[in-house]
């Protein structure tokens, strides 16, 4: 029971503070009302942060499970009638340019 308490000052809590409080709430051994009273927060505020953090974690992919980025390719193969070769120039920003040439 005493281990349910999280030492966060009553100042305006940061998102990190709320993340810790919600985590402690999920590991609690008391009712929601008792937990909120012990930590000096409104039940409705705790519920709002629980929903927000759940939405945020659901919308951010787990590392290693990100959907692959959509790739668009340009066919750079030379046709048999192409005598002049080709050149590709990529402006990488910051004054950097990548140049590819085929003779």
């Amino acid at each position: 029971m005493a281990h349910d308490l999280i030492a966060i000052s009553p100042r305006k809590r940061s998102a990190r503070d709320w993340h810790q409080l919600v985590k402690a709430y999920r590991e609690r051994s008391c009712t929601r009302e008792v937990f909120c009273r012990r930590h000096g927060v409104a039940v409705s505020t705790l519920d709002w942060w629980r929903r927000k953090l759940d939405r945020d974690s659901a919308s951010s992919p787990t590392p290693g499970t990100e959907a692959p980025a959509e790739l668009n390719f340009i066919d750079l193969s030379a046709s048999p009638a192409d005598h002049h070769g080709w050149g590709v120039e990529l402006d990488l920003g910051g004054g950097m340019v990548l140049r590819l040439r085929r003779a």
Side-chain angles (χ1 to χ4, degrees):
M1 313 223 184
H3 65 278
D4 286 341
L5 293 176
I6 300 295
I8 298 175
S9 70
R11 63 170 166 53
K12 183 174 177 172
R13 291 177 170 94
S14 68
R16 184 173 183 214
D17 294 337
W18 278 106
H19 180 76
Q20 290 176 333
L21 273 172
V22 169
K23 182 179 177 197
Y25 167 75
R26 289 184 173 136
E27 298 168 351
R28 77 196 185 286
S29 60
C30 59
T31 66
R32 181 175 62 171
E33 290 76 13
V34 169
F35 180 88
C36 288
R37 195 172 328 116
R38 286 181 182 169
H39 290 89
V41 299
V43 172
S44 60
T45 305
L46 175 68
D47 290 344
W48 185 89
W49 275 99
R50 286 175 47 218
R51 285 190 305 272
K52 176 183 176 14
L53 293 171
D54 287 346
R55 273 192 316 267
D56 290 352
S57 68
S59 66
S60 62
T62 305
T65 62
E66 297 88 4
E70 184 177 325
L71 302 175
N72 296 311
F73 293 96
I74 301 170
D75 184 7
L76 298 176
S77 59
S79 68
D82 186 6
H83 300 57
H84 304 16
W86 48 263
V88 176
E89 194 170 286
L90 299 173
D91 185 346
L92 303 174
M96 295 184 69
V97 177
L98 173 64
R99 292 184 181 93
L100 304 171
R101 302 213 190 280
R102 180 175 173 186

